[in-house]
Amino acid sequence: MRIGEMVRRTGVSERLLRYYEEQGLLHPTRLPSGYRVYNEADIDTVRRIRSLLAAGLSTTIIARILPCVRIDGSALTPVCSDTIAELQRERERLTHTIHELQTSRTMLDTVIAAAAAT
């Protein structure tokens, strides 16, 4: 299928599909004219990419673990043992980021409260 059909079937813009290709996440074939051609498996790949992005992973991490993650119903399932360790590291990174954001929010609350008291 051509890129327009891929956009319709996945809901992902042409720009993002090209970006995923640049990042090594998608590998469409090219016609002699230069047009990209996607296969049915690429639809599943885009779904996995979107799910992993929604989980807060970077495209660099996704490129490493994408071959080791499959969709099982509506859930992603790691199928390589080292993938779980990498996901746990990413979870810790997210936990740290959340803590930093909560600290920032508390500081802002203090500043806002001080402004309201004046």
Side-chain angles (χ1 to χ4, degrees):
M1 78 190 84
R2 292 246 191 88
I3 198 165
E5 177 67 14
M6 189 68 162
V7 167
R8 281 188 292 285
R9 298 205 37 207
T10 63
V12 174
S13 71
E14 287 184 23
R15 183 173 170 256
L16 278 177
L17 291 173
R18 289 186 192 108
Y19 176 73
Y20 296 161
E21 182 180 357
E22 288 171 13
Q23 297 301 305
L25 304 175
L26 272 179
H27 307 283
T29 57
R30 293 286 188 131
L31 297 176
S33 62
Y35 288 113
R36 292 167 176 83
V37 178
Y38 299 91
N39 60 47
E40 289 294 318
D42 290 330
I43 294 171
D44 179 58
T45 300
V46 169
R47 288 186 182 130
R48 288 183 292 145
I49 293 167
R50 300 300 296 165
S51 293
L52 293 167
L53 285 168
L57 300 180
S58 69
T59 55
T60 303
I61 299 290
I62 293 171
R64 285 198 304 266
I65 68 169
L66 191 61
C68 292
V69 179
R70 66 181 164 87
I71 293 181
D72 192 12
S74 62
L76 290 177
T77 305
V79 293
C80 305
S81 60
D82 59 334
T83 302
I84 294 169
E86 184 143 20
L87 291 172
Q88 287 172 331
R89 283 190 300 275
E90 283 302 304
R91 186 181 187 288
E92 286 301 314
R93 182 189 62 80
L94 286 172
T95 299
H96 179 73
T97 301
I98 289 167
H99 176 72
E100 288 179 336
L101 287 169
Q102 288 171 331
T103 300
S104 296
R105 183 180 61 197
T106 300
M107 293 171 115
L108 281 174
D109 289 344
T110 302
V111 171
I112 292 167
T118 59

